[in-house]
Amino acid sequence: MSWLSLIFGEKKSTASVAKERLQLIIARERAGLAGPDFLPDLQKDLVAVISKYVPVNPDDIKVGLEKQGNYEVIEVNIVLPDTGRPV
Amino acid sequence: MSTIVTVTSGKGGVGKTTTSASIATGLALRGFKTAVIDFDVGLRNLDLIMGCERRVVYDFVNVIQGDANLSQALIKDKHTDNLFVLPASQTRDKDALTEAGVEAVLKELQHQGFEYIVCDSPAGIEHGAIMALTFADEAIIVTNPEVSSVRDSDRILGILQSKSRRAVEGREPVKEHLLVTRYSPKRAHEGEMLTYTDIQELLRIPLLGVTPESDAVLHASNQGVPAILQKDTPVAEAYLDAVARFLGETRPLRFVEYEKPGLIKRLFGGK
């Protein structure tokens, strides 16, 4: 608050910590609540399609919803099995 | 046509009943025929805040169940003309508040020429809170500058946008208003408290007003007089401003900037 704190550096105000925490949790809860219920089905279908070409484990495909600014982004993460040889 | 205004928050103790009493009184002061209904079945308190607890004979549930008619249950407010209070029941049966019953009572109030019907929601997201917001045309979200209150407000906004009649029927959505209560400009200035702009950024709904933390609120409830009637106190002025904005007027925000006490004040004390 004073020139002393300017010199010695100041801890972040607790209010700004509160705001950051709320931004994160509110974004997550909004995504969760408005969250489309099709994600599990999408994941299942993706597993089925990809399995036609590459053997994958259902757990190796992760489907998630992320919020970036005003956009919602569906993120699909596929870990291909390490076969030790080029596919 | 009457407008149904729900005062809600999710979290308890943030000032829903204080706000319901003050906003309803403010609307009545402006000449609108207004009813304020307590939806907190089992934990009624609006009657105490309005100072009519000794005049409760019949209540909301009595009317729904047909044990009394609406005119018998409505209590005429002694402070303000045009204002009537419908107290909650003290029964422990929460399901006494049926959706059809609530709708019938609201219709009857409309029929009797009430222009504003203020619904004082209970805390939480249980049946009573849902009933209070189901028929809302407008909603006042009461929020304290504090993490749990802000989060719960966001939650109740989500419920409003999915469970209200307007949402279910795909009509024009419930008009949302943010009211920040118990605000301390000094603490916000010093970085100890979320500012009202922080809260508005987080919740993303239009700001209806900011009422300051104030001793006057306890004085008001002690006496059973709505806070808005505590003449010349900042909190009453802030509620009067909020009512004006609710009615579409433009008013600058007051009591939100921290003024450093001058030298004389610092030397001689004072609040």
Side-chain angles (χ1 to χ4, degrees):
Chain A
M1 306 301 134
S2 65
W3 58 273
L4 273 176
S5 55
L6 282 176
I7 294 171
F8 295 111
E10 198 180 327
K11 263 202 179 159
K12 232 200 260 175
S13 78
T14 56
S16 59
V17 175
K19 189 179 179 188
E20 280 166 28
R21 290 174 62 216
L22 279 167
Q23 272 166 338
L24 285 173
I25 192 67
I26 285 179
R28 194 162 74 190
E29 285 177 346
R30 277 186 193 161
L33 288 176
D37 348 340
F38 63 75
L39 288 183
D41 285 343
L42 178 65
Q43 178 160 357
K44 236 186 274 168
D45 288 353
L46 282 172
V47 171
V49 172
I50 292 167
S51 304
K52 275 166 67 179
Y53 304 93
V54 199
V56 285
N57 213 320
D59 295 337
D60 291 339
I61 297 185
K62 294 256 184 301
V63 181
L65 196 75
E66 247 186 50
K67 205 158 178 128
Q68 297 181 352
N70 285 330
Y71 299 99
E72 287 193 331
V73 177
I74 292 182
E75 198 178 54
V76 181
N77 239 310
I78 307 168
V79 181
L80 293 176
D82 184 11
T83 53
R85 60 182 171 82
V87 183
Chain B
M1 250 331 260
S2 52
T3 304
I4 300 173
V5 187
T6 297
V7 178
T8 186
S9 69
K11 193 177 180 306
V14 297
K16 279 182 299 299
T17 302
T18 299
T19 297
S20 299
S22 286
I23 296 287
T25 299
L27 290 168
L29 284 173
R30 290 298 194 99
F32 295 105
K33 190 174 178 191
T34 304
V36 54
I37 309 179
D38 190 348
F39 274 75
D40 204 345
V41 170
L43 291 168
R44 109 171 139 219
N45 274 318
L46 180 66
D47 55 337
L48 270 178
I49 299 301
M50 299 289 296
C52 65
E53 69 278 4
R54 296 200 320 193
R55 291 191 288 147
V56 175
V57 183
Y58 295 109
D59 58 53
F60 196 5
V61 169
N62 291 143
V63 179
I64 287 178
Q65 295 179 340
D67 303 328
N69 63 40
L70 187 56
S71 311
Q72 289 174 298
L74 281 175
I75 303 169
K76 192 178 178 326
D77 186 67
K78 63 183 173 195
H79 309 289
T80 315
D81 285 341
N82 310 315
L83 182 58
F84 293 81
V85 182
L86 184 55
S89 157
Q90 285 290 47
T91 169
R92 286 208 248 158
D93 177 17
K94 299 258 176 203
D95 296 326
L97 230 50
T98 60
E99 192 167 323
V102 173
E103 189 171 17
V105 170
L106 293 174
K107 282 243 166 75
E108 174 68 19
L109 283 168
Q110 205 164 45
H111 192 70
Q112 291 191 11
F114 281 92
E115 293 166 283
Y116 283 101
I117 303 169
V118 178
C119 302
D120 181 21
S121 172
I125 50 174
E126 300 291 314
H127 184 71
I130 303 297
M131 283 303 105
L133 63 77
T134 297
F135 301 97
D137 296 309
E138 307 202 24
I140 297 175
I141 313 297
V142 183
T143 308
N144 286 171
E146 180 270 325
V147 286
S148 47
S149 175
V150 175
R151 181 201 216 170
D152 291 357
S153 292
D154 191 66
R155 189 97 168 76
I156 209 79
L157 280 167
I159 293 171
L160 201 60
Q161 289 155 10
S162 61
K163 295 212 169 155
S164 63
R165 272 283 169 93
R166 281 176 172 268
V168 172
E169 291 173 0
R171 284 186 284 147
E172 196 185 326
V174 177
K175 194 170 171 196
E176 298 154 346
H177 307 270
L178 172 63
L179 185 74
V180 177
T181 56
R182 308 195 69 167
Y183 193 69
S184 164
K186 180 167 186 280
R187 302 195 74 184
H189 175 79
E190 288 172 353
E192 296 176 5
M193 181 182 267
L194 290 164
T195 65
Y196 65 91
T197 45
D198 287 340
I199 300 171
Q200 202 190 353
E201 256 175 63
L202 287 159
L203 296 177
R204 296 189 229 161
I205 58 172
L207 186 68
L208 181 69
V210 179
T211 65
E213 171 81 63
S214 163
D215 296 344
V217 175
L218 185 59
H219 285 305
S221 71
N222 284 343
Q223 300 166 321
V225 180
I228 197 171
L229 295 179
Q230 297 290 76
K231 284 230 165 12
D232 301 323
T233 62
V235 73
E237 294 291 317
Y239 271 121
L240 288 167
D241 285 352
V243 170
R245 288 187 205 105
F246 186 84
L247 294 171
E249 295 171 27
T250 316
R251 294 260 175 119
L253 278 177
R254 295 191 281 167
F255 321 113
V256 292
E257 299 303 334
Y258 174 58
E259 283 164 40
K260 278 202 168 154
L263 182 64
I264 294 185
K265 212 171 189 182
R266 270 196 272 174
L267 283 177
F268 295 101
K271 275 197 239 179

